[in-house]
Amino acid sequence: MIIDHPLLGPRDSAEFVYLGDACLIERPDWQDENALDAFHDYLYLRDNPAGEHRELWFHEQGDRSWLVVTRNTLTHEITKVELARDVARALGRSK
Amino acid sequence: MSDTALYPTPALGGYRADKDGIVVEELTRLAVVSIATPLDGDKALDAAMQKSFGTTPPAPGKVTISKDGKTRFLGMAPGQIFAVFNHDRPDAEKRLAETLSGSAYTTDQTDVWVALRVGGESVVAVLERICPLDLHPDAFPADRCARTVMEHMAAIVLRDGEDGFVLLTARSSARSFLHAVEVSVENVL
Amino acid sequence: MSNTASRQSHRLSGGLVDRNAPLDFTFNGSHYQGFEGDTVASALVANGVKLVGRSFKYHRPRGILTAGSEEPNALLTIGRGAYAEPNTRATVAELYNGLAASSQNHRGPLGFDFMAVNDFFSPFLSAGFYYKTFMWPRAFWEKVYEPLIRKSAGLGALSGEPDPSTYDKGFLHCDVLVIGAGPAGLMAAKTAALSGARVILADEDFRLGGRLNSETYEIDGMPGSEWAQSIVQELSEMDNVRVMPRTTVYGSYDHGIYGALERARDHLSDQGDKPRQILWRIYSKRAILCAGAIERPIAFGDNDRPGIMMAGAVRSYVNRWGAAPGKRVAIFTSNDDGWRTAADLSAKGIEVAAVIDPRTGNAPYQIPNTQIFMGDAVAGTYGRKGITQIALASGREIPVDCLAVSGGWSPNLQLTCHQRGRPAWREDIAAFVPDQGIPVGMSVAGAANGELSLKSALTEGLNKANAALKDLGMKTAPQAAPKSDDEKIAATPFFYVKESKARAWVDQQNDVTVKDVKLAHQEGFRSVEHLKRYTTLGMATDQGKTANVVGLAIMANARGQSIPETGTTIFRPPYTPVPIGALAGRARGKDFRPYRLTPSHSWAEEQGATFVEVGMWMRAQYFPKPGDKSWRDTVNREVETTRNSVGICDVTTLGKIDIQGRDAAEFLNRVYINGFAKLAVGKTRYGMMLREDGIAMDDGTTARLGETHYVMTTTTANAGPVFRHLEFCRQCLWPDLDVHLISTTDGWAQFAVAGPNSRKLLQKVVDTDTDLSNEGFPFMACSEITVCGGTPGRLFRISFSGELAYEIAVPARYGDALIRALIKAGEEFGVTPYGTEALGVMRIEKGHAAGAELPGTTTAQNLGMGGMISKKKDCIGNTLSERPDLNRDDGLRLVGFRPVDRSQHLKAGWHFLSKGSPCDMAHDEGWMTSVAFSPSLDHSIGLGFITRGSDRMGEIVRAVSPATNVDIEVEIVSPHFIDPEGERLRV
Amino acid sequence: MHYSVFKIISEGLKGNTGWKPQWRDPEPRKEYDVVIVGAGGHGLATAYYLAKEFGIRNVAVLEKGWLGSGNIGRNTTIIRSNYLLPGNEPFYEFSMKLWEGLEQDFNYNAMVSQRGIINLYHNDGQQAAYLRRANAMRMAGADSVMLDRDELQKLCPFLDYDNARFPIKGGIMQPRGGTVRHDAVAWGYARGADERGVDIVQNCEVTGFQIKNGVCTGVETSRGPIKAKKVAVCVAGSSSRVMEKAGIRLPIESHVLQAFVSEGLKPTIPGVVTFGAGHFYVSQSDKGGLVFGGDLDGYNTYAQRGGLPVVEDVCEGGMAIMPMIGRARLLRSWGGIMDMSMDGSPFIDHTPVDGLYFNGGWCYGGFKATPASGYCYAHLIAKDEPHEVAAAYRLDRFRRGAMIDEKGMGAQPNLH
């Protein structure tokens, strides 16, 4: 596969390390009342769609950016690639 | 305290070979210092670099060159650039840190890497055996850089001219990397 | 040896071979001659050799069926000794001088194969027979039946020796990849090239031109093969074009990536020391598949005899190679194209005995002096080792020595299916054509797309190239397709001759007959995939390129359905088989993976050290000295010297991550379970890191060098994963923390200097402005220093050995000099270098966890560090570490073990049982993780996990190893075997 | 129809005209006691054991495509019970014992071939880990042998002992490990289940579940609704997709695993050999092909195809340990979709919906588990309590912290 890196252009996916569902960005609050359940669902019950999937890739053999790649798991078509940091900030994550 | 000063040992012993016009040589005097931009510190770093080097930090994959032509800045990642210049004392980072006077976090990378320069007319044919990047001059012109992987080894590729590349690779695996380049030269020429 | 062509009994005049370059070769030990430009098959044809192999199951005599890579029968072993390459298709193997070929799959000589007895038992060996028998008596399957079956497995044999050739790989990039250099491909490549696009033109053949080399077409008034050469010449001279003959594009992968194999030197008698093949990964923006078509056989009685050949292949041998497959030839064709064979043979003066066409009506061509049978079919043949006669459905018998067969042409659309594309049926040409699911960026032109005439192939090559260019936003150069013939291509679906009484072959290599397909239907194996799997149709080395459609047609007929209703089979990569050696490239032997060497590697080599692989690293394992009786002697000496005086170990391999930023302290506080916010500048702290699931991920020390500057160490194995994890935390979880990471692992040569004399030693090396006294530089202190008169360095007072110890680091380029300086400075103390073995012994004596104790399933609680998890702050893993099963009272605890009988040696991997418990899984209480012989205690010691371990100090339990017959008593003790209070560290 | 050599001879003499279909092609009925979703190996085995061992014969197996079209038809055919953890090893050993009597049990020769499986080790740490495993296997009643270099060399003289980047120091062997003709397993179970009255309905896709008040009472299919007292899902590779229709999220990701076969070669490799320092395992089929594989491609996918990097990586591993295969050619590659679970171990459990059962999460190890999975699933469905060897395969184990993580990779499915 080819991942069109938003900063570097197209790169062979072999340069990247895959992590999984992009909702791993949304780490729960440890002080929540149901923190244990929230962390369980966060870590273990991830999206696994047959179709469009937002997922985290790390450009290990490149610029060390974490990317959020929107890819169709049936066709492998990639429709969007974003810097994970931007996605995280847009989700309200900060410090 | 010891009476003898420590001497430096180049990782590849100052290797140089010339086969049918392809020259492979270890650049032993190259210093590499990483410059990390503090959060929200882009403007300050811009200003400091403009003042000290007459240039600006490059975007990832791009290269800028100091006004005196002596220092290349390689855009490595968002908020991270490498300064590459000739300097053979172990204080490159300290010097650069002073120059930038607190506008960035600096880390010496000189000894992390070994620099090999590969040059010659058929250099692209040699490198296409190990390098997955498109090195066609339209796609990867002079003064462009990229980090990639070759023969299972991480490498930074800098094109320093039409027929020349500087390859930075981890010091610990330098011998294996040189072997990979040598085999490519053998196989192609 | 110049004029030996006379020996080539079936060589004709003409053809594209170089008669001035005769080549000697052997087949089954007999000497033959061919010419430069021959394949092994064409040279055998030229020499009148018909019998070239045996089939897989029935060991039927087989000849050459095709002239291309779809060949099912003519599989030879080519080369000698370790160079021998089995299952090589003679039809694509380029002849070279001295080539040695031999046939396969027979016991005894090729002409008298003892295994041919199978053919007589064929009624009992129908499809799937083996699923129904060999079950009784049960023990016989393993001991008798299966060994017999296995003996008859396979066709050719590997030499059993390491492959002596080298292989290479490479990466190519282009705008347009053209696959196949026949008329459509040449036209497409030329069109794309003229526009300035970066073009790659690849073809599996050594002579580009495709069918133009085999036919008598004319283009622009010149013979087709000459026209092809002129285009190839033109393309070769263009900077933006790479012409790659002998290059098979074998697979289509996501996003325009193609795999291609270039057989760079297989055609040379002396391959030299260059790679024999190169595996290219081609990154394309657009690809145009111009792979032509494959001629389809017809199933009729005994249609597998040597001398029965595809009609197009007969034309190839006659026209391209000037080699006559027979001297009296009959042609059996269901389409107009097959008739061309009759015309071409006649033109070469070969007797055409008959043309048989199952279609009724008028003959499409007039062939003089030939019997024409319209509305008839070949129903049977004679001649065990070579065809001698055919029998028609009408009853007529005709003596021949060659039968040319054409059931029509199937587009060569394999690559369109590699991403699960599904072809569609086109009734007018009775063939599947590319349809849905073609790889993104690919288009198909010419015969591969079902455009079977020359004129349409040329036009479509041009048009598809223009479309691709337009797609890419590139200018298209105006040009027209050249003038060419527009030959007749009418065809009618015709797959097998119902009148045949004898077995009729569908898949010749795997011996699948029409009856087998019908039997599969009878037994309920009716989907295409069931058919394939039950009968093995299409599973041979040719992947059913000639067989699949015929098999499908027979199944469709049995089901009373049309072919498209019955289905199709999917083709998977590779298009033709690719040597495993080529796919591996250079990565074999010592070059399988790179070596990482420490800065003291050369010095250690000089000392005669033994090295050990630690991941990619090579580390000194121990340093033998003359007089050491065994490696254990050496290790004991290294440990004792270190504990009693001083030892030095290269610890450069530990991961080092430079962490800077205003929020670095907060960041560390969140990735370690223990607190880091209050670590003072100039101090180092041990940290334990969890995964988010609460399991221990890594541990190490982190030093605070400045207000905003830390250096973290990781274990050698986890340096990469930890860095990735930290970047995840930094970029994805807390994007607004000001923290920056960069690896400096390779940048610092770092040595542990350990033992009571370590301070004294270092005082000789570290420049005097650093106060090394216990007060000036206490346990866990760290500092930037200078060494040996000004070389910058770092010093950490940390200890893995349990002794007074330091780690000293200098830029890696000074590492070699520093180890020499340290050893020299240590001479007066009797310093020893020590390797990973002594390092391991000392850490086990101290009860420190390492890789074996951190296998990815242990918690901080298991390690006895549960109390370290701060409850006052968030950190990765803290929440999920609270799950009940990770906090059970009877959970595992890391403790020490010593044998009750101190003379016994422990071994990692043993399990623990309470005394009196049976040795089964239900009573398993844990296992030994690490062991060492402790020279300090003079007996074997171990670390291990056992349930409730920390509450069981002093208990005697059994350590068992049923796999190696061990059952001994051990005592549970503290894991801190030496200096449990840690007094030595702090002196 | 009983299969035997006598039957083959008598049929051969009659021109093979008397063979009957190996299973019926029934229309689905309106209601069954048990509906099994998925006629892969596990689904068919479940039906077979329900009928044979638990007396439940009013059963339908519904299959979207053709029976055996799941991973039972696209794997590397290895059977073994060389696991480490108490949650796993007794289960796989139970499976191994079922393999050993399978052919006589269902009167179908699936060519169970116990030629042994060897995992190579390359350093002391690996050796210790394998000794721990060898002992765990013995303690669960399985067989295991530790081989030193010399013993290994006698069994596998073709390995690269002298020039390897990661020297081969020995191996762990399970002599009873081996291979089975994969398709024949599906066919044997299908024929056996069919004979006992089970309806195997092909080309019948389940499109939804009938669930009311937390109780599942049947399924919607492409051929109409079918009622059932119990619905048992068994669709590894599609688990998340199917269970989503019942509103259930699973601790599973779908990944592609590629496998490869070479051209047919005369016998050269004795059993199964697995590289310990790279990603490669290989055996040789009864037809002579080298059947080999390695790592997952590593990203979520439902497309049954992989990429070049893994193909090359696997072949590199092959050449690293057995350089004699350089001139053997890769003939065909294929990809199967794996249910990769969060700890690398499977599930055989109730779901929170009454009457709805789930079997999945087999990662790349489902084939060897086929008989035990079918047996234990049938046990669970028939008795509503887990079979003792499958008691750990619960869906709630992550909530409790009771992971069964053989590789120690944590919640990272592509690394299991």
Side-chain angles (χ1 to χ4, degrees), chain B residues 151-152, chain C residues 169 279 281 580-589 591-594, chain D residues 275 278-280 292 308-323 325:
Chain B
E151 296 291 298
H152 307 285
Chain C
K169 289 187 187 173
L279 192 88
R281 192 180 297 181
I580 293 170
L583 288 162
R586 302 179 188 173
R588 54 184 287 198
D591 291 342
F592 170 58
R593 290 292 180 265
Chain D
F275 189 17
H279 304 288
F280 176 77
F292 58 103
L308 270 179
V310 168
V311 185
E312 296 181 21
D313 186 64
V314 169
C315 291
E316 287 175 7
M319 286 299 283
I321 55 166
M322 42 180 84
I325 63 174

Coordinates of all heavy atoms in Angstrom, one line a residue, chain B residues 151-152, chain C residues 169 279 281 580-589 591-594, chain D residues 275 278-280 292 308-323 325:
Chain B
E151 N 17.4 -2.1 3.2 CA 18.0 -3.4 3.7 C 17.8 -3.5 5.2 O 18.7 -3.8 5.9 CB 19.4 -3.5 3.3 CG 19.7 -3.6 1.8 CD 19.1 -4.9 1.2 OE1 19.6 -6.0 1.5 OE2 18.2 -4.8 0.3
H152 N 16.6 -3.2 5.7 CA 16.2 -3.3 7.1 C 16.9 -2.3 8.0 O 16.9 -2.4 9.2 CB 16.5 -4.7 7.6 CG 15.9 -5.8 6.8 ND1 14.5 -6.0 6.9 CD2 16.4 -6.7 5.9 CE1 14.3 -7.0 6.0 NE2 15.4 -7.4 5.5
Chain C
K169 N 17.3 -7.1 -5.5 CA 16.0 -6.5 -5.5 C 16.2 -5.0 -5.9 O 17.3 -4.5 -5.9 CB 15.3 -6.5 -4.2 CG 14.8 -7.9 -3.7 CD 14.0 -7.8 -2.5 CE 13.7 -9.2 -2.0 NZ 13.1 -9.2 -0.7
L279 N 14.4 -8.9 -8.4 CA 13.0 -8.8 -8.0 C 12.7 -7.3 -7.9 O 13.2 -6.6 -7.0 CB 12.7 -9.5 -6.7 CG 11.2 -9.6 -6.4 CD1 10.7 -10.9 -7.0 CD2 11.0 -9.7 -4.9
R281 N 10.2 -4.0 -7.3 CA 8.9 -3.5 -6.9 C 8.7 -2.3 -7.7 O 9.5 -1.3 -7.6 CB 9.0 -3.2 -5.4 CG 7.6 -3.0 -4.8 CD 7.7 -2.7 -3.3 NE 8.2 -3.8 -2.5 CZ 8.3 -3.8 -1.2 NH1 8.0 -2.7 -0.5 NH2 8.8 -4.8 -0.5
I580 N 11.8 -18.7 -4.6 CA 11.8 -18.2 -3.2 C 13.1 -17.4 -3.0 O 13.1 -16.4 -2.3 CB 11.7 -19.3 -2.3 CG1 10.3 -19.9 -2.4 CG2 11.9 -18.9 -0.8 CD1 10.1 -21.2 -1.6
G581 N 14.2 -17.8 -3.6 CA 15.5 -17.1 -3.5 C 15.3 -15.7 -4.0 O 15.9 -14.8 -3.4
A582 N 14.6 -15.5 -5.1 CA 14.5 -14.1 -5.6 C 13.6 -13.3 -4.7 O 13.9 -12.1 -4.5 CB 13.8 -14.2 -7.0
L583 N 12.6 -13.9 -4.1 CA 11.7 -13.1 -3.2 C 12.5 -12.7 -1.9 O 12.2 -11.7 -1.3 CB 10.5 -13.9 -2.9 CG 9.5 -14.0 -4.0 CD1 8.5 -15.2 -3.8 CD2 8.7 -12.7 -4.2
A584 N 13.5 -13.5 -1.6 CA 14.3 -13.2 -0.4 C 15.4 -12.2 -0.7 O 15.9 -11.5 0.1 CB 14.9 -14.5 0.2
G585 N 15.8 -12.2 -2.0 CA 16.9 -11.2 -2.4 C 18.2 -11.5 -1.7 O 18.6 -12.6 -1.6
R586 N 18.7 -10.4 -1.1 CA 20.1 -10.6 -0.5 C 19.9 -11.1 0.9 O 21.0 -11.4 1.6 CB 20.7 -9.2 -0.4 CG 20.9 -8.5 -1.7 CD 21.6 -7.2 -1.4 NE 21.7 -6.3 -2.6 CZ 22.1 -5.1 -2.5 NH1 22.4 -4.6 -1.4 NH2 22.1 -4.4 -3.6
A587 N 18.7 -11.1 1.5 CA 18.6 -11.4 2.9 C 18.7 -12.8 3.2 O 17.7 -13.5 3.4 CB 17.2 -10.8 3.4
R588 N 19.9 -13.4 3.2 CA 20.1 -14.8 3.6 C 21.5 -14.9 4.2 O 22.3 -14.0 4.1 CB 20.0 -15.6 2.3 CG 20.9 -15.2 1.2 CD 20.7 -16.0 0.0 NE 21.2 -17.3 0.1 CZ 21.5 -18.1 -0.9 NH1 21.3 -17.7 -2.2 NH2 22.1 -19.3 -0.7
G589 N 21.7 -16.0 4.8 CA 23.0 -16.2 5.5 C 23.2 -15.1 6.5 O 22.3 -14.6 7.2
D591 N 23.7 -12.1 5.9 CA 23.0 -10.9 5.4 C 21.5 -10.9 5.7 O 20.8 -10.0 5.2 CB 23.3 -10.6 4.0 CG 24.8 -10.3 3.7 OD1 25.4 -9.9 4.7 OD2 25.2 -10.4 2.5
F592 N 21.0 -11.9 6.4 CA 19.6 -12.0 6.6 C 19.1 -10.7 7.3 O 18.1 -10.1 6.9 CB 19.3 -13.2 7.5 CG 17.9 -13.2 8.0 CD1 16.8 -13.2 7.2 CD2 17.6 -13.3 9.4 CE1 15.5 -13.3 7.6 CE2 16.3 -13.4 9.9 CZ 15.3 -13.4 9.0
R593 N 19.8 -10.2 8.3 CA 19.5 -9.0 9.0 C 20.8 -8.3 9.3 O 21.9 -8.9 9.4 CB 18.8 -9.2 10.3 CG 17.3 -9.8 10.1 CD 16.4 -8.7 9.5 NE 15.1 -9.2 9.3 CZ 14.6 -9.7 8.1 NH1 15.4 -9.9 7.1 NH2 13.3 -10.1 8.1
P594 N 20.8 -6.9 9.4 CA 22.0 -6.2 9.7 C 22.6 -6.6 11.1 O 21.8 -7.0 11.9 CB 21.6 -4.7 9.6 CG 20.1 -4.7 9.5 CD 19.6 -6.1 9.2
Chain D
F275 N 10.8 -21.2 12.2 CA 12.0 -20.3 12.4 C 11.7 -19.6 13.7 O 10.6 -19.1 13.9 CB 12.1 -19.4 11.3 CG 13.4 -18.6 11.2 CD1 14.5 -18.9 12.0 CD2 13.4 -17.4 10.4 CE1 15.6 -18.1 11.9 CE2 14.6 -16.7 10.3 CZ 15.7 -17.0 11.1
G278 N 12.8 -15.3 13.0 CA 12.2 -14.6 11.9 C 10.8 -15.2 11.7 O 10.4 -16.0 12.5
H279 N 10.1 -14.7 10.7 CA 8.7 -15.2 10.6 C 8.6 -16.1 9.4 O 8.4 -15.7 8.3 CB 7.8 -14.0 10.5 CG 8.0 -13.0 11.6 ND1 7.6 -13.3 12.9 CD2 8.6 -11.8 11.7 CE1 7.9 -12.3 13.7 NE2 8.6 -11.4 13.0
F280 N 8.6 -17.4 9.7 CA 8.6 -18.4 8.6 C 8.3 -19.7 9.2 O 8.8 -20.1 10.2 CB 9.9 -18.4 7.9 CG 10.0 -19.5 6.9 CD1 9.4 -19.3 5.6 CD2 10.7 -20.7 7.1 CE1 9.5 -20.3 4.6 CE2 10.8 -21.7 6.1 CZ 10.1 -21.5 4.9
F292 N 3.9 -22.7 3.2 CA 4.6 -21.9 4.1 C 3.9 -20.6 4.4 O 3.0 -20.1 3.6 CB 6.1 -21.7 3.8 CG 6.3 -21.1 2.4 CD1 6.7 -19.7 2.3 CD2 6.2 -21.8 1.3 CE1 7.0 -19.2 1.1 CE2 6.5 -21.2 0.0 CZ 6.8 -19.9 -0.1
L308 N 3.1 -7.0 -0.8 CA 4.5 -7.6 -1.1 C 5.4 -7.7 0.1 O 6.2 -8.6 0.2 CB 5.1 -6.8 -2.2 CG 4.8 -7.2 -3.6 CD1 5.5 -6.3 -4.6 CD2 5.4 -8.6 -3.9
P309 N 5.4 -6.6 0.9 CA 6.4 -6.7 2.0 C 6.4 -8.0 2.8 O 7.5 -8.6 3.1 CB 6.1 -5.5 2.9 CG 5.4 -4.5 1.9 CD 4.7 -5.4 1.0
V310 N 5.2 -8.5 3.1 CA 5.1 -9.7 3.9 C 5.6 -10.9 3.1 O 6.3 -11.8 3.6 CB 3.7 -9.9 4.5 CG1 3.5 -11.3 5.0 CG2 3.4 -8.9 5.5
V311 N 5.2 -10.9 1.8 CA 5.7 -12.0 0.9 C 7.2 -12.1 1.0 O 7.8 -13.2 1.2 CB 5.3 -11.8 -0.6 CG1 5.6 -13.0 -1.4 CG2 3.8 -11.5 -0.7
E312 N 7.8 -11.0 0.8 CA 9.3 -11.0 0.8 C 9.9 -11.3 2.2 O 10.8 -12.1 2.3 CB 9.8 -9.6 0.3 CG 9.4 -9.3 -1.1 CD 9.8 -8.0 -1.7 OE1 10.8 -7.5 -1.1 OE2 9.2 -7.5 -2.6
D313 N 9.2 -10.8 3.2 CA 9.7 -11.1 4.6 C 9.7 -12.6 4.9 O 10.6 -13.1 5.4 CB 8.9 -10.3 5.6 CG 9.4 -10.4 7.0 OD1 10.5 -9.9 7.2 OD2 8.7 -11.0 7.8
V314 N 8.6 -13.2 4.5 CA 8.4 -14.6 4.7 C 9.5 -15.4 4.0 O 10.2 -16.3 4.5 CB 7.0 -15.1 4.3 CG1 7.0 -16.6 4.3 CG2 6.0 -14.5 5.3
C315 N 9.7 -15.0 2.7 CA 10.8 -15.8 1.9 C 12.2 -15.5 2.5 O 13.0 -16.4 2.4 CB 10.7 -15.4 0.5 SG 9.1 -16.0 -0.3
E316 N 12.4 -14.3 3.0 CA 13.7 -14.1 3.6 C 13.9 -15.0 4.8 O 15.0 -15.6 5.0 CB 13.7 -12.6 4.1 CG 13.9 -11.6 3.0 CD 13.8 -10.2 3.5 OE1 13.8 -9.9 4.7 OE2 13.8 -9.3 2.6
G317 N 12.8 -15.2 5.6 CA 12.9 -16.1 6.7 C 13.2 -17.5 6.2 O 14.0 -18.3 6.8
G318 N 12.6 -17.9 5.1 CA 12.8 -19.3 4.6 C 14.3 -19.4 4.1 O 14.9 -20.4 4.5
M319 N 14.8 -18.5 3.4 CA 16.1 -18.6 2.9 C 17.1 -18.5 4.1 O 18.2 -19.1 4.0 CB 16.4 -17.5 1.9 CG 15.8 -17.7 0.6 SD 16.3 -19.2 -0.2 CE 17.9 -18.7 -0.8
A320 N 16.8 -17.8 5.1 CA 17.7 -17.7 6.3 C 17.9 -19.0 6.9 O 19.0 -19.3 7.4 CB 17.2 -16.7 7.3
I321 N 16.9 -19.9 7.0 CA 17.2 -21.2 7.7 C 17.4 -22.3 6.7 O 18.0 -23.3 7.1 CB 16.1 -21.5 8.7 CG1 14.7 -21.5 8.1 CG2 16.2 -20.6 9.9 CD1 13.7 -22.1 9.0
M322 N 16.8 -22.3 5.5 CA 17.0 -23.4 4.6 C 17.3 -22.9 3.2 O 16.4 -22.9 2.3 CB 15.8 -24.4 4.7 CG 14.4 -23.8 4.7 SD 13.1 -25.1 4.8 CE 13.1 -25.4 6.5
P323 N 18.5 -22.5 3.0 CA 18.9 -21.9 1.7 C 18.8 -22.9 0.5 O 18.9 -22.5 -0.6 CB 20.4 -21.5 1.9 CG 20.8 -22.3 3.0 CD 19.7 -22.5 3.9
I325 N 16.0 -23.9 -0.5 CA 14.7 -23.7 -1.2 C 14.8 -22.5 -2.2 O 13.8 -22.2 -2.7 CB 13.6 -23.5 -0.2 CG1 13.8 -22.3 0.7 CG2 13.4 -24.8 0.6 CD1 12.6 -22.0 1.5

